[in-house]
Amino acid sequence: MGPPVRVGVLALQGDFREHLAVLRRLEVPAQEVRTVEDLEAVDALILPGGESTTIARLMAKSGLDRVIKKRGEAGMPLYGTCAGLILLAKELVEDRPQPLGLLDVTVDRNAYGRQVDSFEADIHIKSIGPFHAVFIRAPKITRCGPSVEILAEHDGAPVLVRQGNLLGSSFHPELTDDTRIHEFFLSFLGKP
Amino acid sequence: MAQAERGTFRVKSGLAEMLKGGVIMDVTNAEQARIAEEAGAVAVMALERVPADIRAAGGVARMADPKKIKEIMDAVTIPVMAKCRIGHFVEAQILEALGVDYIDESEVLTPADPENHIDKWQFKVPFVCGARDLPEACRRIAEGAAMIRTKGEAGTGNVVEAVRHMRLMNKQIREVVGASEEELVQLAKQWGAPLEVLRLIKQEGRLPVVNFAAGGIATPADAALMMQLGCDGVFVGSGIFKSADPERRARAIVEAVTYYNDPHKLAEISEDLGEPMRGIEISELAPEELLQTRGH
């Protein structure tokens, strides 16, 4: 057995503390990632909810965008929630911000509407089961590439998708006490 | 088909969770809003005038013209907040109808009903409210506020009051955490703070909602100071667009909130930003000129 795996949470802005709390509950060694050096210490990375324009700007400024993309392409597990999903996407409907271009989906940032349209709903996740999902100014996935597996839908739109080592959700499992999606993501670490 | 529930407390406080580690900037027109978004603001506060100008203008300060708010909402993709007067629930209804993402029931505007704050449970849109201490924060939370900010002293460019309010809140949270149930009942009476909210604070060891700092933040170091004191993010009102180089200062404050614990980075970030807003010494203000004492 090698050293225990460490999971990073991108901590430039957003609800990274909630993701760290979930990982702590699962007793997984975890740490905040704010710099390129921080990223070197982790084996997987969660991109949290937050404001995607803000996080994208800080990623570019710190050089984290390039190294996250590189490691994502090399197989490091990456999970993006909400803003994190926007950042992982290959393509956005709007011209801003600049996404990492890893996950072969098109995302429409404000398609679900403004805050008064934010909602909670029960969804069904393939091989996980029923799940209570919280959507906050959520981004909508409008196109999935052939290698993308849709794991859950709401109202006809994909809301949880996987492409190999990449996972993305338009909702926030970290805002509930349900740790099953995080556990599912951690299972990516066992497989090449 | 799956049912969707809107306007729950979880989605209201949830948006505040997403704003954490970020900077919310006051803007008075579309151009400023774009500058703020470009600089990395997590949200903008749409206003007729920034607090420093409200202070200078005097008279009654009210909710901004809906036309102005719509212009700002059209200009950016990040959340847009707007202020209503304390107790003015019709201004709040109008802001909700406009579709703003957060309402600030704010002491920066002239209170409409100093005795009764808005019953915020009646709204689908979330509210942020100012507080000078923990009891005030508890009262706002009991009324339905989904986010709290320290009041500080808006429009002064002087961080001293924000620091005072944050330190007091931290001290009172420690007091609540250490209190027995009997002592909690006593604190609730003594402070005029709802017992239920105090119990939540004791249980979680912190405020049950996100708490930003506001009122006097003018430099990256001010912002980092408030973050090190334990706030979740900052509001910058006059501090950006009353400075010599708003774009640069805005970017610098955004970075300072991310790297608030790294003095070397803060040194880089703080370099060569041009003149900050001039600022006011609090003791030069007459008691009736203070905004923080509005509301209770």
Side-chain angles (χ1 to χ4, degrees), chain B residues 6 14 16 20 26 28 79-80 146 153 180 228 238-239 241 277 293:
Chain B
R6 293 186 167 74
K20 281 190 306 195
D26 278 4
T28 59
V80 175
E153 189 56 37
S180 66
Q228 287 198 27
S238 318
F241 290 100
M277 77 178 278
T293 50

Side-chain angles (χ1 to χ4, degrees), chain B residues 161-227:
Chain B
E161 293 299 298
V163 168
R164 190 170 282 154
H165 298 162
M166 191 60 77
R167 281 205 183 271
L168 180 55
M169 253 189 239
N170 288 341
K171 180 168 167 247
Q172 291 169 325
I173 288 172
R174 288 195 297 272
E175 211 173 330
V176 167
V177 170
S180 66
E181 176 63 24
E182 299 93 312
E183 287 164 342
L184 219 51
V185 172
Q186 182 53 33
L187 277 179
K189 272 192 283 190
Q190 187 189 325
W191 286 352
L195 183 58
E196 286 315 306
V197 184
L198 292 182
R199 284 204 182 110
L200 266 179
I201 293 168
K202 182 175 161 65
Q203 199 182 309
E204 294 180 29
R206 45 165 296 149
L207 271 184
V209 299
V210 166
N211 184 20
F212 270 45
I217 294 158
T219 67
D222 288 349
L225 172 66
M226 296 315 297
M227 291 298 288

Side-chain angles (χ1 to χ4, degrees), chain B residues 254-273:
Chain B
V254 167
E255 284 170 43
V257 168
T258 294
Y259 299 105
Y260 67 92
N261 251 336
D262 184 338
H264 293 285
K265 273 216 152 65
L266 290 172
E268 271 172 51
I269 291 165
S270 303
E271 203 174 300
D272 196 21
L273 299 178

Side-chain angles (χ1 to χ4, degrees), chain A residues 12-15 17-18 34 50-51 53-54 57-58 96 109-110 114-115 119-122 136-137 172, chain B residues 2-3 5 8 10-11 17-21 37-38 40-42 77 79 99 101 206 232 251 258-259:
Chain A
L12 297 173
Q13 188 274 320
D15 73 335
R17 215 162 52 199
E18 280 59 39
R34 285 192 177 80
E51 203 39 57
T53 51
T54 306
R57 212 198 146 260
L58 291 164
R96 273 180 314 180
R109 267 178 73 210
N110 292 315
R114 304 195 71 97
Q115 172 60 15
F119 63 98
E120 301 182 40
D122 291 315
I136 294 172
R137 279 177 54 103
H172 296 279
Chain B
Q3 284 243 297
E5 238 192 309
T8 61
R10 180 139 59 182
V11 301
E17 301 288 347
M18 299 312 139
L19 300 173
K20 281 190 306 195
E37 182 176 49
E38 195 54 45
V42 288
T77 60
D101 297 293
R206 45 165 296 149
D232 295 313
R251 280 200 299 267
T258 294
Y259 299 105

